[in-house]
Amino acid sequence: MPEDESTLHLTDPRAMRALAHPTRLRLLGELRVRGPQSVGMLSEIVGEAVGSVSYHLGKLAEHGFVTEAPEHARNRRERWWRAAHSRTNWEPVEMLADPERKLASDLLRRAAFQRYVERFQNYLESEATLDPEWVRGTTSSDQIMHLTPDELMELRTELMELGARWRARGNPDRPDARTVTLIWQAYRGPQ
């Protein structure tokens, strides 16, 4: 898949296992969506103690997921952090030959999936409070297809391009723009 400097491509099983922690996934996601935040701000957002948030941020920093943002601090005691990259990816096919990497990849994929489920559940709980204009555009669906491996790769590429095109089109500075989550999966289903 095409990558740029804003994408961190994972191959290290230790980094995958570190990121697979639910609190770390949430912290990294919040930094990507909200921009630089202090430890105290993140503590309030994720509902974790400041010490716990600091510990998890340290683990994320150890593997290059986040970096400190001292220019935002008001004093020496205040610690601010930012996401080091706007996206993280890894290729499951690259993990198949190495049991340790395969296990770490599976662990991270399962943790990411649980985060997707949690976020969608939060959306469903708040849907009734949203302007109907936002609810009208919401969708969840699945489609069963009969594809070859090459066609599945073609579909994957098109989905990545579609997501990238809409991401580039988005502008958070517009008064009516809000964060929208796009999640898709394409995989060989049961026979």
Side-chain angles (χ1 to χ4, degrees):
M1 288 286 91
E3 294 178 30
D4 56 38
E5 66 279 350
S6 66
T7 300
L8 175 63
H9 182 74
L10 290 180
T11 58
D12 180 1
R14 292 169 299 165
M16 289 179 206
R17 284 191 305 274
L19 185 56
H21 191 284
T23 301
R24 293 179 200 146
L25 272 174
R26 177 117 190 257
L27 289 169
L28 181 57
E30 294 296 342
L31 289 171
R32 285 179 174 166
V33 170
R34 298 173 189 266
Q37 301 285 307
S38 71
V39 172
M41 294 163 80
L42 287 166
S43 173
E44 288 183 31
I45 292 167
V46 301
E48 295 271 343
V50 169
S52 174
V53 169
S54 290
Y55 172 78
H56 289 301
L57 288 168
K59 287 297 182 186
L60 289 169
E62 185 180 317
H63 295 283
F65 296 109
V66 300
T67 60
E68 288 197 58
E71 68 277 10
H72 294 282
R74 293 175 292 193
N75 57 53
R76 290 186 198 196
R77 294 188 55 201
E78 190 176 61
R79 291 185 75 182
W80 282 67
W81 295 85
R82 71 168 46 89
H85 306 88
S86 61
R87 288 177 300 284
T88 303
N89 73 13
W90 65 99
E91 292 292 334
V93 71
E94 293 174 2
M95 311 301 156
L96 292 176
D98 180 344
E100 181 185 8
R101 289 173 68 198
K102 171 71 171 126
L103 185 63
S105 172
D106 290 353
L107 184 67
L108 181 51
R109 290 165 78 189
R110 290 174 199 280
F113 176 74
Q114 289 302 316
R115 181 71 185 127
Y116 297 154
V117 169
E118 178 184 308
R119 290 181 69 193
F120 189 61
Q121 287 173 331
N122 289 341
Y123 166 77
L124 289 175
E125 290 170 9
S126 69
E127 187 177 62
T129 67
L130 296 176
D131 184 317
E133 289 294 310
W134 283 105
V135 178
R136 185 176 51 152
T138 300
T139 184
S140 292
S141 182
D142 67 314
Q143 297 181 24
I144 305 300
M145 306 166 198
H146 296 88
L147 305 176
T148 66
D150 287 343
E151 289 169 337
L152 181 57
M153 273 303 297
E154 184 179 345
L155 175 61
R156 173 185 164 166
T157 300
E158 287 180 27
L159 289 170
M160 295 293 288
E161 290 169 352
L162 179 67
R165 187 175 82 228
W166 280 94
R167 183 181 173 104
R169 182 172 166 176
N171 179 348
D173 297 330
R174 291 179 294 171
D176 60 340
R178 299 294 181 271
T179 301
V180 172
T181 300
L182 172 64
I183 299 170
W184 65 80
Q185 295 179 316
Y187 57 90
R188 180 178 170 207
Q191 299 301 307

